[in-house]
């Protein structure tokens, strides 16, 4: 019995490309790994999440048709619980970052939305807005409103916590990238190449774009 | 660094450390800042130890209201010891926030020697962190570390422990959540007290 | 990451098993596997191999590298080389731990193999510590770590990256301000220089 | 010295990083009073700077102290908010009474708002494709086996499983359950995995 559709149509506005469930899973897994290891929030991969959720749903329905002690049912269930782990952990990691860096994330997201290059899903965005609002209201009620007049302001800039883009990360190059500039505070910048398959530890900032376009993978 | 420190309790505690300053202007009614003087006012030229947060704030006024002096642990004689062998120094005794405080102090040191000492000290002492996280005598290894070094060694220690557990045992065990467990423990302790 | 998460990633590796049952192909999301023919070797992901083994539905075929001679060579080379040598695969430790843990009876010389793998691991871990210290001493801004496996890299977290972060932070906070200040000084000097000219 | 009470407050909170202490209403009131009196002195002295210019520096010192107090109070609240968030993820949306009473009324209100924001986010997950949402407080660890053996640590009562079976969770009873269905109870300390 075939429990899944191996070909999934991902509708991406005009161009419709066919990719296999296996590829979707691989993409999702690498998005999860990068999200776990990157200091800042990365562009969402809600397309992959929803696609996998659809597969899970489809599969669960079919499993229920199998006898409870069937070996195949257990195998499928095990695979599903592995995928659910990835999805939950991925979404939760994003929520944690959204909460921690809510103020700068919202500010940057508003700019990104103008160009249509948003990082958050609509529900994540809504969550972030509400989270900041609740935080602001809480500190206003409990302390700010009881302070002398000129102290009552909720200072967004000061309350903002920023991800440390200078933090060091481990990565593996998926393809060869040349001419990465490592800034040096003494002014002696160094240029390095990332050969395909090579592994490095370096600052996140100069390679942030390479993660977003899939040229390197955080490890 | 972007202004990410505002809500950090660590930074608040660091900026609570007292440092020597010289007041450049008269401060009426502020005599109490100098415990050795009985005057109501604080006179220009007085040397007083005040918390770093106050010193920073007064230094940043235009014109500056204070000038900041190097605390003795960042002066030549201490720097010589650190530059010779930083691993012999007990940071916990010297100053728990040696590096963080030093970062603030460094800008008042025109020659830039404090900055170099901080960097060299941390580089040299990194091997102490490496050994602290695997040491069997963890108390002895942790003792001479500064607060931030302790934190790093403790984090590394938990990786070390997780890895050792992983190597030894089979399946990962699902466990009670951290805060839940700690509140249960605390509740038990409270009940035992009565 | 927790070692169990690294293990989870490693469990996607394909290994060979010999099932003791016969079944059609199974279509998983991560790919199709089978058909299962009792007594005939076939490939499955490591997690599935472990699951079948637990249910006593298969024997594990030890990977090629789980062999005393091969491992003895690796160990010798690892000892000889200053650098990290290339391991048989990116998740050798995960594979070893799972297979030797749940299916040691399927691996000839399992006990010796366990010891030698642990030796290799220990040599590499102590090399890793030495190179971490060297990295910090030499600058602490960048390092290349070819051939380290994911579990090994994970063991350096958070210590190495956080120490590098911390060092950079000291440099940025303490040194940068000095540079700015010395720049200010130079500009004052040049101003006074220019005033002399006029 | 200025802003000393607020440091006591923060140090107190630092001492128990893994639990939350009772909200310290009293100390916060004292700190707010300190701020009001600093502010009043500053108002007076600011008005008097016309005659005595040197008072201006004094005003600046007090202003720094006011800013410092504000920062520390906000840090105190913020760090508690972080702990309260953790409570939501670990205990769930209903707090045990002994934990609930450690929060102030305003904090409990914040907890409820946080909790319902989170709940509505989780409910929205996968809604486009017919899901009733996903509970992100589950599936915290990589799955190892579909079933696990557990020991019951408290008299919990009935638990209905997905397949319709109902089991009775009594203190010291042992069960063999689907991992996915007992994770939350394990996190809450009601069940304990036996290995």
């Amino acid at each position: 019995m075939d429990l899944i559709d191996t070909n999934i149509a991902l509708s991406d506005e005009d161009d419709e490309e066919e990719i296999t469930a296996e590829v979707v899973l691989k993409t999702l897994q690498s998005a999860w790994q990068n999200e776990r290891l990157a200091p800042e929030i990365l562009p969402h991969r809600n397309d992959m999440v929803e696609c996998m959720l659809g597969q899970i749903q489809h599969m669960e329905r079919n499993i229920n048709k199998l006898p409870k002690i069937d070996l195949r049912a257990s195998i499928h269930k095990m695979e599903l619980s592995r995928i659910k782990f990835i999805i939950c952990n991925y979404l939760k990691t994003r929520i944690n970052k959204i909460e921690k860096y809510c103020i700068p994330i919202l500010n940057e997201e508003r700019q990104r939305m103008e160009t249509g290059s948003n990082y958050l899903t609509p529900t994540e965005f809504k969550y972030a807005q509400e989270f900041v609002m609740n935080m602001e209201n809480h500190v206003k009620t409990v302390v700010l409103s009881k302070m002398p007049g000129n102290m009552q302001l909720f200072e967004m800039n000061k309350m903002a916590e920023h991800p440390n883009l200078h933090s060091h990360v481990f990565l593996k190059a998926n393809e060869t990238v040349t001419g990465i500039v490592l800034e040096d505070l003494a002014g002696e910048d160094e240029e390095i190449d990332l050969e395909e398959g090579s592994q490095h530890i370096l600052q996140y900032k100069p390679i942030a774009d390479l993660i977003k376009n899939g040229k390197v993978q955080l490890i | 660094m972007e202004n990410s420190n505002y809500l950090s309790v660590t930074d608040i505690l660091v900026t609570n450390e007292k440092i020597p300053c010289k007041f450049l202007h008269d401060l009426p009614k502020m005599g109490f800042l100098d415990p050795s003087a009985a005057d109501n006012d604080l006179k220009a030229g007085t040397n007083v130890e005040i918390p770093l947060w106050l010193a920073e704030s007064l230094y940043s006024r235009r014109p500056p209201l204070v000038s900041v002096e190097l605390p003795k642990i960042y002066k030549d004689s201490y720097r010589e010891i650190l530059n010779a062998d930083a691993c012999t120094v007990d940071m916990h005794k010297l100053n728990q926030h040696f590096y963080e405080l030093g970062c603030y102090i460094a800008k008042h040191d025109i020659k830039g020697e404090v900055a170099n000492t901080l960097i060299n000290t941390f580089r040299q002492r990194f091997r102490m962190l490496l050994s602290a996280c695997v040491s069997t005598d963890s108390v002895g290894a942790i003792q001479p570390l500064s607060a931030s070094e302790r934190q790093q060694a403790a984090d590394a220690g938990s990786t070390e422990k997780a890895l050792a557990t992983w190597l030894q045992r089979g399946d990962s065990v699902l466990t009670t959540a951290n805060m839940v467990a700690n509140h249960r423990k605390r509740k038990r302790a409270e009940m035992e007290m009565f | 990451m927790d070692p169990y998460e690294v293990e989870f990633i490693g469990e996607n590796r394909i290994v060979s098993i010999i099932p003791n049952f016969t079944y059609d192909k199974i279509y998983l999301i991560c790919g199709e596997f089978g058909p299962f023919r009792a007594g005939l070797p076939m490939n499955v992901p490591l997690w599935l191999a472990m699951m079948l083994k637990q249910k006593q539905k298969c024997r594990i075929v030890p990977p090629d590298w789980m062999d005393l001679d091969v491992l003895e060579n690796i160990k010798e080379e690892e000892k000889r080389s200053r650098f990290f040598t290339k391991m048989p695969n990116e998740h050798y430790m995960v594979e070893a731990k799972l297979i030797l843990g749940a299916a040691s009876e399927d691996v000839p010389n399992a006990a010796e193999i366990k010891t030698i793998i642990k030796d290799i691991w220990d040599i590499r871990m102590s090399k890793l510590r030495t190179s971490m210290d060297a990295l910090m001493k030499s600058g602490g801004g960048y390092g290349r770590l070819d051939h380290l496996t994911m579990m090994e890299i994970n063991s350096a977290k958070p210590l190495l990256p956080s120490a590098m972060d911390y060092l950079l932070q000291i440099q940025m906070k303490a040194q940068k301000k000095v540079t700015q200040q010395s720049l200010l000084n130079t500009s004052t000097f040049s101003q006074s220089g220019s005033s002399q000219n006029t | 010295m200025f802003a000393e009470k607020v440091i006591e407050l923060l140090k107190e909170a630092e001492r128990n990083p893994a639990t939350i202490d009772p909200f310290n209403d009293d100390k916060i009131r004292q700190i707010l009073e300190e701020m009001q009196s600093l502010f009043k002195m500053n108002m007076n002295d600011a008005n008097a700077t016309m005659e005595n210019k040197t008072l201006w520096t004094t005003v600046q010192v007090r202003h720094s102290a006011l800013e410092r107090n504000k920062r520390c109070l906000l840090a105190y609240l913020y760090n508690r908010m972080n702990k309260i968030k953790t409570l939501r993820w670990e205990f769930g949306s209903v707090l045990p009474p002994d934990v609930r009473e450690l929060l102030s009324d305003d904090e409990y209100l914040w907890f409820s708002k946080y909790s319902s924001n989170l709940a509505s986010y989780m409910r929205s997950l996968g809604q486009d494709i017919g899901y009733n949402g996903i509970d992100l407080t589950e599936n915290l660890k990589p799955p190892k086996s579909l079933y696990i053996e557990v020991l019951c640590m408290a008299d919990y009562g009935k638990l209905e499983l997905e397949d319709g079976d109902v089991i009775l969770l009594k203190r010291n009873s042992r069960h063999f359950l689907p991992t996915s269905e007992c994770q939350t109870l394990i996190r809450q300390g009601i069940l304990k995995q036996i290995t």
Side-chain angles (χ1 to χ4, degrees):
Chain A
M1 185 179 60
D2 195 349
L3 284 181
I4 59 164
D5 315 318
T6 28
N7 289 312
I8 304 153
L10 265 187
S11 62
D12 205 350
E13 280 163 24
D14 349 332
D15 60 319
E16 199 153 291
E17 46 176 328
E18 293 253 310
I19 55 172
T20 62
E22 191 183 337
V23 173
V24 174
L25 179 57
K26 284 219 169 88
T27 317
L28 183 63
Q29 169 145 351
S30 117
W32 163 61
Q33 221 172 301
N34 282 336
E35 194 72 69
R36 273 300 300 267
L37 300 170
E40 63 167 343
I41 194 143
L42 299 174
H44 76 80
R45 293 308 308 260
N46 205 32
D47 49 348
M48 297 294 139
V49 172
E50 293 217 325
C51 182
M52 262 306 112
L53 287 175
Q55 292 288 312
I56 293 175
Q57 201 172 35
H58 181 73
M59 186 91 99
E60 271 173 350
R61 271 188 214 124
N62 287 323
I63 294 172
N64 285 337
K65 291 178 201 152
L66 296 169
K68 213 173 152 185
I69 45 141
D70 188 281
L71 180 62
R72 281 170 307 168
S74 319
I75 295 174
H76 284 298
K77 274 190 190 163
M78 192 63 191
E79 184 182 39
L80 294 186
S81 70
R82 289 175 64 83
I83 300 172
K84 282 183 196 163
F85 167 75
I86 297 178
I87 295 178
C88 281
N89 201 295
Y90 172 66
L91 296 173
K92 191 184 159 187
T93 304
R94 291 180 61 82
I95 282 294
N96 289 342
K97 287 189 193 172
I98 290 174
E99 289 176 352
K100 192 155 193 226
Y101 309 123
C102 53
I103 294 171
I105 284 181
L106 272 180
N107 288 340
E108 286 157 26
E109 189 68 4
R110 285 193 188 103
Q111 287 168 14
R112 283 191 288 255
M113 279 159 88
E114 283 171 20
T115 57
S117 56
N118 49 311
Y119 281 12
L120 304 189
T121 68
T123 48
E124 282 173 341
F125 184 69
K126 200 175 142 247
Y127 181 78
Q129 277 182 308
E130 181 117 358
F131 182 80
V132 173
M133 201 182 74
N134 286 339
M135 173 162 94
E136 189 176 340
N137 286 341
H138 180 63
V139 297
K140 276 184 178 162
T141 322
V142 181
V143 290
L144 289 181
S145 64
K146 295 170 186 158
M147 285 183 189
N150 62 345
M151 291 281 130
Q152 292 189 352
L153 200 64
F154 181 85
E155 293 161 288
M156 276 292 183
N157 290 339
K158 285 186 178 169
M159 295 295 284
E161 208 173 325
H162 295 269
N164 180 8
L165 302 183
H166 297 290
S167 60
H168 292 79
V169 291
F170 292 97
L171 66 82
K172 184 186 193 112
N174 291 333
E175 49 187 279
T176 301
V177 187
T178 54
I180 303 292
V181 179
L182 303 177
E183 273 181 52
D184 180 77
L185 289 173
E188 290 161 29
D189 291 353
E190 194 189 341
E191 212 177 277
I192 55 155
D193 296 338
L194 311 175
E195 291 128 43
E196 184 180 336
S198 60
Q199 302 183 138
H200 311 259
I201 179 166
L202 38 64
Q203 265 190 59
Y204 174 78
K205 212 173 169 184
I207 54 99
D209 286 339
L210 300 177
I211 289 168
K212 290 166 194 166
N213 63 27
K215 291 193 173 145
V216 304
Q217 169 78 49
L218 295 181
I219 51 175
Chain B
M1 270 288 93
E2 274 162 315
N3 188 8
S4 279
N5 263 342
Y6 190 68
L7 299 171
S8 147
V9 177
T10 308
D11 188 62
I12 289 177
L13 295 179
V14 171
T15 48
N16 206 44
E17 296 275 335
K18 289 195 170 171
I19 57 164
C21 285
K22 183 192 230 166
F23 278 88
L24 305 174
H25 296 268
D26 285 348
L27 282 173
K29 306 182 192 177
M30 287 289 143
F32 68 92
L33 288 175
D34 180 8
S36 64
D39 236 354
N40 194 23
D41 300 342
L42 195 72
K43 290 270 168 278
T46 317
N47 288 300
V48 192
E49 294 219 327
I50 55 171
L52 177 61
W53 61 265
L54 185 58
E56 282 283 309
S57 162
L58 300 181
Y59 175 78
S60 68
R61 308 275 163 183
R62 290 290 159 257
L65 300 182
V66 295
S67 69
V68 176
E69 331 239 301
L70 291 191
K72 66 173 191 303
I73 58 168
Y74 301 102
K75 284 189 174 162
D76 286 342
S77 53
Y78 278 88
R79 282 211 315 273
E80 271 164 30
I81 300 172
L82 285 166
N83 289 337
D85 186 0
C87 297
T88 55
V89 176
D90 184 339
M91 283 296 174
H92 201 66
K93 282 202 192 115
L94 193 65
N95 188 306
Q96 298 198 55
H97 301 297
F98 175 78
Y99 301 103
E100 291 83 355
L101 188 59
C103 285
Y104 282 102
I105 293 301
K107 69 164 173 260
H108 303 285
D109 163 44
I110 311 288
K111 284 180 271 177
E113 280 164 0
V114 171
N116 290 335
T117 303
L118 294 176
I119 293 164
N120 291 337
T121 303
F122 184 68
R123 279 196 179 135
Q124 282 188 51
R125 286 170 64 91
F126 180 71
R127 72 176 158 87
M128 295 172 77
L129 301 188
L130 273 173
S131 48
C133 60
V134 284
S135 168
T136 41
D137 170 28
S138 58
V139 182
I142 294 277
Q143 215 288 317
L145 301 182
S146 81
S148 57
E149 287 173 336
R150 282 178 184 206
Q151 187 58 51
Q152 292 181 59
D155 293 345
S158 41
T159 300
E160 210 59 54
K161 231 167 107 189
L163 194 60
T165 319
W166 178 79
L167 285 168
Q168 272 162 26
R169 56 176 307 141
D171 282 1
S172 85
V173 187
L174 302 167
T175 49
T176 314
N178 221 345
M179 268 231 192
V180 174
N182 284 310
H183 273 282
R184 291 269 149 77
K185 253 185 248 160
R186 192 158 89 170
K187 196 174 164 190
R188 263 201 305 280
E190 276 163 11
M191 280 154 85
E192 278 158 12
M193 277 171 61
F194 295 109
Chain C
M1 276 190 174
D2 189 60
Y4 286 99
E5 287 175 75
V6 180
E7 176 179 280
F8 173 82
I9 294 168
E11 278 173 339
N12 291 324
R13 285 193 64 83
I14 302 298
V15 293
S16 205
I17 60 164
I18 300 171
N20 58 17
F21 61 98
T22 296
Y23 224 95
D24 288 344
K25 244 186 190 177
I26 184 162
Y27 296 89
L28 295 178
I29 293 178
C30 62
E32 6 173 314
F33 299 95
F36 298 78
R37 297 276 172 265
L40 289 184
M42 62 173 295
N43 289 338
V44 290
L46 183 54
W47 63 264
L48 179 51
M50 287 298 115
M51 189 177 167
L52 294 172
K53 182 70 200 178
Q54 266 170 19
K55 294 181 187 285
Q56 291 160 358
K57 296 279 184 197
C58 73
R59 274 192 302 130
I60 308 276
V61 181
D64 295 342
W65 62 271
M66 245 182 235
D67 170 274
L68 276 182
D69 289 341
V70 175
L71 288 167
E72 203 60 68
N73 277 334
I74 295 178
K75 181 176 161 185
E76 278 317 303
E77 210 186 317
E78 192 65 63
K79 264 203 231 159
R80 240 194 337 261
S81 170
R82 273 176 54 227
F83 302 104
F84 292 95
T85 58
K86 195 167 170 21
M87 286 290 104
N89 76 58
E90 273 184 281
H91 288 286
Y92 79 98
M93 205 54 193
V94 173
E95 245 174 45
K97 194 204 124 181
L98 291 178
I99 293 177
L100 293 167
S104 56
E105 68 276 17
D106 298 347
V107 184
N109 308 314
E112 289 90 337
I113 285 184
K114 219 181 238 178
T115 316
I116 195 167
I117 294 177
K118 187 67 175 39
D119 288 347
I120 296 171
W121 168 264
D122 288 342
I123 297 170
R124 288 169 67 86
M125 290 309 269
S126 94
K127 224 185 249 186
L128 177 57
R129 304 167 67 76
T130 320
S131 32
M132 279 160 72
D133 194 30
L135 199 162
M136 287 304 287
K137 284 222 164 68
S138 70
Y142 164 75
R144 185 160 172 156
L145 344 103
D146 288 341
H147 305 327
L148 272 170
T149 64
M150 199 169 179
M151 192 60 86
E152 290 160 345
I153 285 177
N154 203 56
S155 78
K157 293 179 202 167
L159 185 60
L160 182 62
S162 83
M164 289 168 83
D165 295 352
Y166 197 68
L167 184 65
L168 182 70
Q169 213 177 335
I170 298 177
Q171 287 171 328
M172 285 166 85
K173 283 188 180 161
Q175 238 172 8
K176 210 177 182 179
K177 281 172 191 157
V178 174
T179 350
Q180 275 167 0
Q181 229 161 26
S182 51
L183 280 177
L184 277 176
N185 285 342
T186 20
S187 66
T188 342
F189 287 138
S190 64
Q191 257 174 16
S192 59
S194 62
S195 65
Q196 270 172 2
N197 286 339
T198 49
Chain D
M1 185 44 65
F2 309 111
E4 267 172 354
K5 284 205 184 65
V6 82
I7 290 290
E8 289 165 29
L9 188 67
L10 287 172
K11 280 193 176 154
E12 227 174 75
E14 279 283 274
R15 233 168 279 144
N16 301 316
T19 49
I20 190 161
D21 288 317
F23 184 75
N24 199 333
D25 233 338
D26 198 43
K27 204 157 248 162
I28 289 189
R29 202 178 23 80
Q30 292 174 23
I31 295 158
L32 288 167
E33 276 165 14
E34 180 186 327
M35 289 181 77
Q36 292 294 355
S37 77
L38 281 171
F39 182 70
K40 230 171 264 160
M41 286 191 268
N42 256 4
M43 289 297 275
N44 292 336
D45 286 344
N47 290 333
T49 47
M50 295 298 261
E51 301 102 67
N52 182 358
K53 277 236 162 61
T54 59
L55 270 175
W56 193 243
T57 51
T58 299
V59 170
Q60 293 195 334
V61 171
R62 289 202 201 99
H63 185 75
S64 303
L66 279 165
E67 291 279 8
R68 174 74 175 180
N69 272 317
K70 174 176 174 178
R71 177 186 176 193
C72 295
L73 278 179
L74 289 174
Y76 176 74
L77 285 192
Y78 182 72
N79 283 283
R80 285 184 65 87
M81 277 192 265
N82 282 335
K83 286 186 178 177
I84 298 171
K85 277 188 334 204
T86 313
L87 294 178
R88 168 63 183 85
W89 286 86
E90 295 189 356
F91 283 98
S93 58
V94 182
L95 293 181
D98 59 311
V99 177
R100 154 77 181 87
E101 71 186 16
L102 300 170
L103 312 187
S104 73
D105 288 346
D106 285 316
E107 282 179 324
Y108 188 67
L109 184 68
W110 186 80
F111 171 85
S112 314
K113 283 186 173 160
Y114 174 75
S115 178
S116 68
N117 190 26
L118 185 66
S120 67
Y121 169 72
M122 296 197 295
R123 256 198 317 277
S124 78
L125 294 170
Q127 221 168 31
D128 295 350
I129 50 169
Y131 268 74
N132 301 323
I134 300 171
D135 186 352
L136 297 183
T137 64
E138 284 182 4
N139 300 309
L140 294 176
K141 284 201 171 180
K144 275 283 155 190
S145 48
L146 292 171
Y147 287 84
I148 50 172
E149 197 178 359
V150 291
L151 175 67
C152 191
M153 309 299 286
D155 288 317
Y156 179 79
K158 283 177 184 164
L159 176 73
E160 189 179 341
L161 299 176
E162 268 171 29
D163 61 10
D165 286 359
V166 177
I167 53 160
L168 186 64
L169 298 179
K170 278 198 321 197
R171 200 181 159 81
N172 291 328
S173 61
R174 282 170 175 243
H175 308 270
F176 195 62
L177 297 175
T179 315
S180 59
E181 296 189 55
C182 53
Q183 285 189 55
T184 308
L185 291 173
I186 291 175
R187 302 256 310 149
Q188 295 173 347
I190 292 157
L191 297 177
K192 191 179 162 192
Q193 183 176 357
I194 305 173
T195 48

